[in-house]
Amino acid sequence: MQLPQRVQLIDVGPRDGLQNEKQPINAATKIELVQRLQDAGVTEIEVTSFVSPKWVPQMADNAEVMAGIARKPGVRYSVLTPNLQGFEAAAKTRPDEIVVFGAASEAFSQRNINCSIAESIERFRPVVQAALAAGVAVRGAISCTVGCPYEGEIAPERVELVARLMREIGVQRVDIADTIGVGTPRKVQRALEAALKHYDMACVSGHFHDTYGMALANTLAALELGVWNFQSSVAGLGGCPYAKGATGNVATEDVVYLLQGMGIETGIDLDKLIDAGKFISDALGRKPHSRVANALLTKRLG
Ligand code: HMG
Ligand code: MG
């Protein structure tokens, strides 16, 4: 079995992670988190989202956060934009990439973005066109590709359909998300294979939440298919406000430890990453949700 030699990680902690936190976190803390992630060698960071502040109050400081980060050459900063209104606000903050986000489940699409899958594609179409015309890259996130909190198990054909529709409107790469973390390795592979019918390997990434503790196993299963792009969240921050019971994304620290141990290059300094996770966990008043971070923080105490 030939595993990829290098993996590209997108840390989604500042967005997917913090969006779910009830306690307000100030923009300065979010900016410092981004700073610490890039200092640790993370080269793709999902910074914030330009969604309705009534729906997700924690992301209301999106423009302030984007304006406050000291950009590092070679780092790609992405933001979520559900519609043209979001894109227009986002464009002023000069993201490198925008993310349109749909779902393989009708019920989740309704709950999350207040429209059907077909309507969401029509909403994304002008966003994608505007972004590409402005020279901004476009990623598409597909939620609930294995299971849905409302519809239960999701067939790979549903994933294939949304991947095809995203491809048709010009989305350049897609994230296959196990939003509620119910996936197991073979099921996750089937969801990824469905997307791979419409996208090249370099354009398909795994986005796994660790609710059932399966995210690292699923990451390995994705690597076995040849997938080498993944999203994870420092300190395992996160969840989804519209997916009850969904816990955080797989912790970036855990993924980096797994990859390093297998000799797969990430370009990330694990110690600095752990410091970044400790920083945001301290701000939230809790321990990191990362086995690796907690093990190595304990070891540091000697
Ligand atoms: P809507 O209510 O259907 O939108 O919301 P609307 O067009 O009817 O507008 C209603 C109001 O929202 C208006 O304000 C608009 O101005 C405002 P009002 O006149 O009532 O004062 N509005 C906006 N404000 C700011 N930015 C915007 C925007 N658009 C409309 N872009 C909408 C539709 C999509 C906006 C709404 O449903 C929403 O914001 N949803 C939040 C979705 C979200 O952020 N979910 C979490 C991220 S997705 C995720 O976590 C999954 C992922 O990680 C992958 C995975 O794990 O599965 C990506
Ligand atoms: Mg997510």
Side-chain angles (χ1 to χ4, degrees), residues 104 143-148 152-155 159 176-178 182-184 187-188 191:
S143 288
C144 298
T145 60
V146 182
C148 165
E153 198 146 329
I154 298 293
V159 180
I176 301 307
D178 181 10
V182 290
T184 43
K187 288 183 187 174
V188 163

Side-chain angles (χ1 to χ4, degrees), residues 241-254:
Y242 304 103
K244 199 166 182 289
T247 61
N249 297 74
V250 63
T252 310
E253 296 92 319
D254 294 3

Side-chain angles (χ1 to χ4, degrees), residues 15-16 207 209 239 249:
R15 194 284 304 170
D16 203 356
H207 176 120
H209 287 253
N249 297 74

Side-chain angles (χ1 to χ4, degrees), residues 83-283:
N83 52 19
L84 262 183
Q85 186 178 340
F87 174 74
E88 277 155 15
K92 294 187 190 126
T93 70
R94 297 183 301 106
D96 299 299
E97 183 177 54
I98 55 115
V99 185
V100 291
F101 50 104
S105 142
E106 280 294 349
F108 187 80
S109 180
Q110 287 291 353
R111 295 285 213 299
N112 193 39
I113 51 174
N114 207 20
C115 63
S116 69
I117 294 172
E119 285 163 349
S120 74
I121 296 295
E122 290 319 309
R123 265 189 207 175
F124 300 154
R125 191 189 297 276
V127 176
V128 175
Q129 280 169 359
L132 295 177
V136 178
V138 179
R139 185 150 56 85
I142 309 179
S143 288
C144 298
T145 60
V146 182
C148 165
Y150 314 107
E151 291 182 13
E153 198 146 329
I154 298 293
E157 291 73 27
R158 309 286 308 163
V159 180
E160 196 197 327
L161 172 70
V162 181
R164 177 170 66 73
L165 294 171
M166 284 203 175
R167 176 83 211 214
E168 281 172 10
I169 60 167
V171 171
Q172 294 167 309
R173 55 180 187 153
V174 284
D175 310 333
I176 301 307
D178 181 10
T179 312
I180 54 170
V182 290
T184 43
R186 296 288 169 254
K187 288 183 187 174
V188 163
Q189 284 181 335
R190 284 200 286 274
L192 291 162
E193 281 164 348
L196 286 164
K197 291 191 176 154
H198 299 284
Y199 283 92
D200 291 344
M201 189 60 81
C203 300
V204 171
S205 70
H207 176 120
F208 306 135
H209 287 253
D210 203 26
T211 320
Y212 287 73
M214 295 292 116
L216 285 180
N218 294 339
T219 302
L220 185 54
L223 288 166
E224 284 176 12
L225 282 188
V227 171
W228 55 275
N229 286 277
F230 294 93
Q231 279 123 45
S232 57
S233 177
V234 68
L237 296 172
C240 178
Y242 304 103
K244 199 166 182 289
T247 61
N249 297 74
V250 63
T252 310
E253 296 92 319
D254 294 3
V255 177
V256 169
Y257 182 83
L258 170 80
L259 296 170
Q260 275 185 0
M262 296 178 78
I264 299 171
E265 187 58 46
T266 63
I268 295 174
D269 179 325
L270 182 56
D271 274 321
K272 287 189 178 166
L273 181 66
I274 287 172
D275 291 338
K278 173 95 171 52
F279 163 77
I280 192 64
S281 300
D282 285 348

Side-chain angles (χ1 to χ4, degrees), residues 13-133:
R15 194 284 304 170
D16 203 356
L18 296 183
Q19 74 179 6
N20 213 38
E21 294 296 335
K22 295 279 174 290
Q23 50 176 310
I25 299 149
N26 62 39
T29 303
K30 294 171 182 169
I31 292 163
E32 180 163 352
L33 176 61
V34 170
Q35 186 70 42
R36 284 172 173 265
L37 289 171
Q38 64 192 29
D39 288 349
V42 178
T43 51
E44 291 202 49
I45 304 173
E46 203 172 86
V47 178
T48 186
S49 59
F50 287 82
V51 300
S52 161
K54 287 188 190 134
W55 286 59
V56 187
Q58 187 67 260
M59 298 285 112
D61 58 3
N62 42 30
E64 189 184 349
V65 173
M66 284 297 280
I69 55 181
R71 298 196 194 197
K72 186 175 165 186
V75 176
R76 177 180 277 212
Y77 303 92
S78 55
V79 300
L80 266 59
T81 57
N83 52 19
L84 262 183
Q85 186 178 340
F87 174 74
E88 277 155 15
K92 294 187 190 126
T93 70
R94 297 183 301 106
D96 299 299
E97 183 177 54
I98 55 115
V99 185
V100 291
F101 50 104
S105 142
E106 280 294 349
F108 187 80
S109 180
Q110 287 291 353
R111 295 285 213 299
N112 193 39
I113 51 174
N114 207 20
C115 63
S116 69
I117 294 172
E119 285 163 349
S120 74
I121 296 295
E122 290 319 309
R123 265 189 207 175
F124 300 154
R125 191 189 297 276
V127 176
V128 175
Q129 280 169 359
L132 295 177

